[in-house]
Structures are given as structure tokens and as C-alpha cells.
Amino acid sequence: MQANATYYEDTARTDVPVMVLYIVAIIVAPLWEEFIFRKCMWNELKIFGLVCTVIVTSIAFMLLHDPGVRIYALGTGIVLGIILIITNDFKMCFFYHAFNNMSVFTFYKDVARTQYDFQKMIIWSLAGAAIMALFILVNKNYRTAFKERWISACEQCKSDFCELRENKKTRRYACGMTCSAAAVLIAIATGFI
């Protein structure tokens, strides 16, 4: 897939040293983006349920990125949301994001850096997700906390449903109930309940 040439003509700076670009892409950008999306937005949106929060933050994350990689960024946003749900740890999201951003500099099809090799980028992302999953499985604290949060999500779903009946289906409660129900379905499908 080819990157958007106009985007690069408008935003590219040829006088910036490559090392500065690496630092920005691998440290500064992930820290800033994770703070905005998985800290600030996440905390404001989680009252609507985990599924709604993951979807909204992932779409916002996607829109921040280059048009040539937006679908890839959407998938990355979803993976980052899942990592935050499982670990409840902002640092884990940062580490995965930094690892993932290394692919931006690594997997170009051409010397001019206008075409990405998405197949290699996806393999790199899956490798990062596998490393993250292995780390989570080995770390008992993450496993125990994750199971407790799913149990809490089930209780919240039941509570949301009761509030929905009492409040005559207001939009906020309907969205919260729907998202909580989806979270319970995911928990059942993944075997945590």
C-alpha cells in the first residue's frame, strides 16, 4: 500500500536528523499518544463500558495517524485497548506501542519511504502481541487482576440492566448496558467466566 504523498509533502522535514525522528517515533509519540488515548480519554469514557471505550479510543487513535496506515492504526488501537483491559497498566501499552512504532522505520518497500510493507508490519505487531501475551501469562498479578475485573464487569452489567429498567432506557444507560453486556460475552468467549 502506498502512503499518501501529499501528507508527506505537507508534513515532512528533511532537515531533521534521523536519530531525532527515531526518538520521537519510538519514545515521545507513544508516551504522548498513550497518555491522551489510554489515560485521559479512557478514564472519561470507561463509564460507558469497556467495549465502547476501546472502540471510541481506537477510532480517535486511527484518525490521528497518516491516512496510509489508518486501518493498521485502528487495529493497533484495539490491541492497545485490550492490553490496557488485561493489565490495567499504562506502561504495558507504552511498551507495546513503542515496539510497534519500530516497524514504521523498518518496513518500507522503497528507498523513498513512501510505501509500507504491511505484511511485515502485521507480522511485527503480532510478534509484539505474542510477547505481551507471554509476559501477561507468566505474571500472576496480571492474570489475577484480569479475572477480578471480568467478575466486576459482570456485576456492573447486572447493575446497568437494573438501572436501565428503572431509568426508562436513557441513552447513557443503554450504551453502558450494551457495552457491559458485550464485555461479558467477550469474557465468556475467552473462558474467563
Side-chain angles (χ1 to χ4, degrees):
M1 177 173 253
Q2 184 157 346
N4 186 341
T6 307
Y7 178 85
Y8 287 106
E9 289 169 6
D10 294 342
T11 60
R13 290 194 43 139
T14 56
D15 58 342
V16 177
V18 173
M19 188 53 78
V20 172
L21 292 175
Y22 282 135
I23 291 169
V24 168
I26 297 171
I27 298 172
V28 177
L31 267 176
W32 181 81
E33 290 172 359
E34 292 311 309
F35 177 75
I36 296 297
F37 297 111
R38 251 65 64 193
K39 201 73 162 173
C40 298
M41 279 183 74
W42 190 276
N43 288 336
E44 294 299 318
L45 293 170
K46 68 182 176 184
I47 61 168
F48 296 109
L50 293 175
V51 175
C52 286
T53 304
V54 169
I55 291 169
V56 171
T57 56
S58 296
I59 290 171
F61 182 75
M62 172 191 76
L63 293 173
L64 179 73
H65 287 81
D66 168 18
V69 294
R70 283 202 174 141
I71 299 300
Y72 180 77
L74 177 66
T76 301
I78 292 168
V79 170
L80 288 164
I82 292 168
I83 289 171
L84 188 58
I85 290 169
I86 293 171
T87 65
N88 201 29
D89 190 352
F90 174 78
K91 293 183 301 255
M92 295 298 285
C93 291
F94 166 74
F95 290 132
Y96 177 77
H97 194 155
F99 180 83
N100 194 52
N101 276 10
M102 283 190 256
S103 70
V104 173
F105 290 103
T106 310
F107 303 118
Y108 284 102
K109 285 185 176 178
D110 61 343
V111 179
R113 295 183 179 244
T114 58
Q115 283 191 322
Y116 299 102
D117 189 340
F118 280 103
Q119 185 177 7
K120 289 180 181 174
M121 288 172 71
I122 290 169
I123 291 169
W124 182 266
S125 291
L126 292 174
I131 291 167
M132 214 39 87
L134 184 63
F135 181 77
I136 291 165
L137 288 172
V138 169
N139 191 322
K140 185 177 180 180
N141 294 335
Y142 286 134
R143 286 195 322 261
T144 305
F146 181 55
K147 190 171 186 177
E148 289 170 2
R149 280 194 302 281
W150 276 119
I151 292 168
S152 173
C154 290
E155 292 169 357
Q156 181 65 40
C157 182
K158 184 177 178 182
S159 170
D160 287 348
F161 184 72
C162 291
E163 281 187 51
L164 178 65
R165 287 193 310 193
E166 292 172 11
N167 292 310
K168 299 181 182 178
K169 298 183 180 183
T170 60
R171 281 187 186 175
R172 179 175 180 202
Y173 290 104
C175 181
M177 196 226 27
T178 304
C179 291
S180 295
V184 170
L185 290 174
I186 292 169
I188 291 168
T190 56
F192 281 95
I193 295 179

